[in-house]
Amino acid sequence: MAKLIEGKLVAKKILENLSDEILFLEKKPCLAVIIAGNDPASKIYVNSKKKKAEEIGIKSIVIELPENCTQQEILEKIYTLNNDESVNGILVQLPLPAHINTKEVLEKINPIKDVDGLHPYNLGHVASGSKPYAHPCTPTGIVRLLEYYDISVSGRHAVIIGRSNLVGRPLSYMLLNQNATVTICHSKTTNLQEITKQADILVSAAGRKNLVNADMIKEKAVVIDVGINRQEDGKLCGDVDFWSVEPKASYITPVPGGVGPMTICSLMQNTFDLYKIQNKI
Ligand code: NAD
């Protein structure tokens, strides 16, 4: 039986400490979120980020733009926030409407305010093994979970399913920087099971329900499920068939309550860290 990696609990502890630190600041950190369009899931995510920020004493600004907003309008908002000294972190909620050039938008955020760590400056530092202003939130949450549970990474084989800029790619570099041997799999990987069976640490970030079952993992593997999928009954599930994998794994994250709460926790930590960098604390 695997030990459950309780992201919800770990995140709560980290946020309590963060809240204590913020309590004593005269000027509070500030997170600005830009949301464009009417995607219901994005609205829920933005609301929960705002709520969490306010709970721990971070000021939060939400800028809502209509679905038919222009590229120029978004870039102007970013320009204003880049130049507003009271704003420490800028987050653009993804996905943006289809007609918007997301790459250009993300690249216009000042890297020192890039709280999601998705600017090429920050991703480039992660890839080259040096220090970014901010690491991407979900990979940071995963690394913190591994640290919290004392799961060693050095010298171990980490297999990551998914190569997005948001999760798979930066996580691969972060684990490599901690001396793991890293393999990335993706939708064009032909022998997925052969590779995942070699993993000491298996991370699935594909967004495919039941992609990972017990036949795909090695005995005593650490299994981290990043996926968020909807079941027929409307409930959330990950990429991992939890009940088939759990008896064989040594550690496993649940969905919900595993990686998700750590992502939002990393966002809060990043906002505070950028505040400190900007205020030279
Ligand atoms: P994405 O769609 O950008 O990337 C998915 C990746 O998975 C791609 O690289 C693709 O090649 C790979 N993939 C898809 N199907 C595959 C298959 N059958 N076999 C092997 N590889 C496959 O998605 P993303 O933004 O990286 O997110 C991935 C999942 O993680 C989604 O379910 C998303 O909702 C979730 N997510 C969760 C959190 C969190 O905090 N828990 C944060 C970000 C994303």
Side-chain angles (χ1 to χ4, degrees):
M1 222 173 81
K3 189 169 165 52
L4 198 64
I5 298 182
E6 295 183 83
K8 197 171 167 188
L9 214 124
V10 180
K12 188 166 174 277
K13 284 190 187 173
I14 295 173
L15 288 170
E16 274 166 9
N17 289 338
L18 202 54
S19 169
D20 288 346
E21 285 193 73
I22 292 169
L23 189 67
F24 294 102
L25 296 173
E26 205 176 307
K27 190 181 92 179
K28 304 297 182 198
C30 174
L31 170 66
V33 179
I34 298 176
I35 174 167
N38 303 314
D39 179 45
S42 292
K43 289 203 169 189
I44 294 172
Y45 289 139
V46 168
N47 278 338
S48 63
K49 286 167 188 173
K50 182 176 163 61
K51 196 166 151 244
K52 191 57 73 188
E54 286 165 357
E55 256 172 47
I56 64 162
I58 291 177
K59 218 180 121 193
S60 115
I61 302 170
V62 176
I63 296 166
E64 293 186 61
L65 294 169
E67 182 78 31
N68 63 355
C69 65
T70 64
Q71 181 84 12
Q72 198 51 34
E73 277 175 288
I74 302 187
L75 296 184
E76 274 165 21
K77 293 289 178 207
I78 290 177
Y79 179 82
T80 307
L81 295 170
N82 277 342
N83 290 298
D84 183 341
E85 277 187 19
S86 70
V87 171
N88 307 107
I90 305 169
L91 181 154
V92 176
Q93 184 64 38
L94 301 178
L96 288 168
H99 63 281
I100 301 292
N101 177 345
T102 300
K103 185 169 174 285
E104 189 193 20
V105 168
L106 295 179
E107 287 180 5
K108 286 291 189 286
I109 297 173
N110 184 340
I112 207 169
K113 294 192 175 186
D114 171 36
V115 74
D116 247 348
L118 297 179
H119 189 286
Y121 174 93
N122 287 317
L123 285 178
H125 273 285
V126 174
S128 61
S130 50
K131 204 171 175 314
Y133 290 122
H135 285 88
C137 296
T138 303
T140 302
I142 294 168
V143 167
R144 291 194 85 172
L145 278 181
L146 295 173
E147 280 167 5
Y148 185 89
Y149 284 89
D150 243 337
I151 297 168
S152 65
V153 170
S154 180
R156 301 183 83 192
H157 188 185
V159 174
I160 301 166
I161 310 176
R163 58 173 162 181
S164 71
N165 278 343
L166 196 62
V167 190
R169 275 173 211 259
L171 178 64
S172 71
Y173 286 115
M174 287 165 73
L175 295 179
L176 184 64
N177 294 341
Q178 294 193 2
N179 301 316
T181 302
V182 181
T183 305
I184 307 184
C185 301
H186 47 79
S187 53
K188 299 282 187 286
T189 299
T190 49
N191 48 347
L192 187 63
Q193 177 162 341
E194 237 172 77
I195 299 169
T196 57
K197 277 195 91 144
Q198 297 170 30
D200 300 309
I201 301 169
L202 177 64
V203 181
S204 187
R208 299 281 181 273
K209 198 168 45 173
N210 292 333
L211 177 66
V212 177
N213 59 43
D215 294 338
M216 294 174 70
I217 74 156
K218 174 161 118 177
E219 215 43 77
K220 301 278 172 232
V222 174
V223 180
I224 309 286
D225 193 352
V226 185
I228 302 177
N229 310 296
R230 280 260 169 229
Q231 288 172 318
E232 287 72 29
D233 60 5
K235 287 189 183 149
L236 293 184
C237 69
D239 292 351
V240 176
D241 179 358
F242 185 90
W243 294 114
S244 107
V245 168
E246 187 266 351
K248 201 170 171 187
S250 58
Y251 288 86
I252 189 165
T253 58
V255 177
V259 175
M262 291 301 290
T263 296
I264 202 157
C265 168
S266 303
L267 176 66
M268 299 305 136
Q269 184 73 58
N270 279 356
T271 307
F272 183 51
D273 291 348
L274 293 180
Y275 167 96
K276 287 197 288 188
I277 295 170
Q278 290 158 30
N279 289 285
K280 302 191 169 53
I281 295 173

